[in-house]
Amino acid sequence: MQTTLDGVSCEYEIKKARNSAEVVLFLHGWGGDLNSFKGAYSAACDWGVTCVNFAFPKVVPSDWGVYEYAACVRDFLLENDIEKPIIVGHSFGGRVALILAAQGIAGKIMLVDSAGLKPKLGLKKRIRIARYHRRVKCGKSLDGYGSKDYNSIDPSMRGVFVRIVNTHLDGLLPYVKCDTLVFWGRRDRDTPMYMAKRLCKGITKSRLVVTNGGHYSYVDAHYLFLQQLKNFVLE
């Protein structure tokens, strides 16, 4: 199904359950789509709860940042009369889940290898950033100087991507008052383990589950992910 929110087109799937107040909302990572959480969405539909699989718009206005994406999801919830959903967010979807939780919109959140916190910068990273800014200043080509995600997206979306990456949500953690499950892969290189620990330290009602997976821990440890999600949803 499709809907238009804030002037952008979004795709979603929804399966409503009878006599259930719980709604589980799946938010995929950057560059993902409805297939990203397809397995988890299909499984959750059998648990007797309403399930929503939401896909972020592929193209948005050039001035958008992560808060505009969060507003888009909030408008989707209002349009569909969904209150206090359990939000499952992977990577970029976790950024959005954090914002919505801090705004009191989420009933619970499950952060899966979530992005959004300010990263530690090692020496190699700092040198690379310095070289990047020097090339920008000199008007030289930036090919090969961005991340894989940056280089793979349409050039018109790169400003949006940079704005998102440079928006750090550490200051929101004390405002997340809902139950939070942090599900992480110990081999994650995109959002390392120290971020999971920082999330748990900053969010009062949180607990951490660590797997042997990588950044896509919900795929690498799929059975454990579904088990933890089911317990979290139905408890």
Side-chain angles (χ1 to χ4, degrees), residues 102-113:
Q103 293 174 344
I105 292 170
K108 300 178 183 178
I109 56 173
M110 183 175 185
L111 301 175
V112 186
D113 299 278

Side-chain angles (χ1 to χ4, degrees), residues 128-176:
R128 190 171 179 82
I129 291 174
R131 287 175 176 171
Y132 173 87
H133 288 300
R134 186 160 59 246
R135 294 183 76 87
V136 170
K137 186 176 181 179
C138 297
K140 294 182 178 180
S141 172
L142 299 178
D143 291 346
Y145 273 83
S147 67
K148 181 179 178 182
D149 285 334
Y150 177 87
N151 288 311
S152 65
I153 60 177
D154 187 284
S156 66
M157 286 289 290
R158 288 178 177 173
V160 173
F161 180 77
V162 170
R163 193 174 298 111
I164 290 169
V165 170
N166 289 322
T167 300
H168 304 131
L169 307 176
D170 303 65
L172 294 184
L173 301 189
Y175 299 97
V176 178

Side-chain angles (χ1 to χ4, degrees), residues 83-116:
E83 296 183 3
K84 298 287 186 178
I86 299 170
I87 304 177
V88 183
H90 171 246
S91 197
F92 172 72
R95 293 178 187 266
V96 175
L98 278 171
I99 292 172
L100 295 176
Q103 293 174 344
I105 292 170
K108 300 178 183 178
I109 56 173
M110 183 175 185
L111 301 175
V112 186
D113 299 278
S114 176

Side-chain angles (χ1 to χ4, degrees), residues 16 22 27 29 47 62 81 88 123 150 154 159 201 228-229:
K16 295 184 178 180
E22 299 289 4
L27 300 178
W47 300 343
S62 60
D81 298 318
V88 183
L123 180 60
Y150 177 87
D154 187 284
K201 184 177 180 180
Q228 291 291 327
L229 175 59

Side-chain angles (χ1 to χ4, degrees), residues 14-231:
I14 185 168
K15 183 174 181 180
K16 295 184 178 180
R18 294 181 180 178
N19 304 319
S20 174
E22 299 289 4
V23 178
V24 183
L25 172 66
F26 293 93
L27 300 178
H28 61 74
W30 184 265
D33 54 30
L34 291 179
N35 291 316
S36 299
F37 268 126
K38 192 72 173 181
Y41 168 78
S42 298
C45 286
D46 296 328
W47 300 343
V49 296
T50 294
C51 294
V52 182
N53 193 13
F54 182 84
F56 294 110
K58 293 295 184 183
V59 179
V60 301
S62 60
D63 61 346
W64 269 37
V66 66
Y67 281 92
E68 283 71 27
Y69 279 93
C72 180
V73 176
R74 184 183 65 230
D75 289 347
F76 171 81
L77 296 174
L78 290 172
E79 182 181 82
N80 289 274
D81 298 318
I82 297 173
E83 296 183 3
K84 298 287 186 178
I86 299 170
I87 304 177
V88 183
H90 171 246
S91 197
F92 172 72
R95 293 178 187 266
V96 175
L98 278 171
I99 292 172
L100 295 176
Q103 293 174 344
I105 292 170
K108 300 178 183 178
I109 56 173
M110 183 175 185
L111 301 175
V112 186
D113 299 278
S114 176
L117 301 187
K118 187 175 182 178
K120 297 177 181 178
L121 296 180
L123 180 60
K124 288 184 179 180
K125 183 69 173 179
R126 292 179 183 179
I127 292 174
R128 190 171 179 82
I129 291 174
R131 287 175 176 171
Y132 173 87
H133 288 300
R134 186 160 59 246
R135 294 183 76 87
V136 170
K137 186 176 181 179
C138 297
K140 294 182 178 180
S141 172
L142 299 178
D143 291 346
Y145 273 83
S147 67
K148 181 179 178 182
D149 285 334
Y150 177 87
N151 288 311
S152 65
I153 60 177
D154 187 284
S156 66
M157 286 289 290
R158 288 178 177 173
V160 173
F161 180 77
V162 170
R163 193 174 298 111
I164 290 169
V165 170
N166 289 322
T167 300
H168 304 131
L169 307 176
D170 303 65
L172 294 184
L173 301 189
Y175 299 97
V176 178
K177 305 297 184 182
C178 61
D179 289 339
T180 301
L181 176 59
V182 180
F183 191 89
W184 224 267
R186 69 173 74 253
R187 295 185 288 106
D188 191 339
R189 294 294 178 266
D190 296 306
T191 51
M193 271 299 306
Y194 71 80
M195 292 188 174
K197 295 176 181 178
R198 196 188 298 170
L199 285 168
C200 287
K201 184 177 180 180
I203 301 174
T204 304
K205 298 170 67 176
S206 63
R207 63 184 177 89
L208 174 62
V209 175
V210 181
T211 79
N212 286 323
H215 188 57
Y216 293 87
S217 61
Y218 71 98
V219 176
D220 298 333
H222 188 59
Y223 177 77
L224 177 61
F225 170 74
L226 290 181
Q227 183 183 56
Q228 291 291 327
L229 175 59
K230 184 176 183 180
N231 291 340

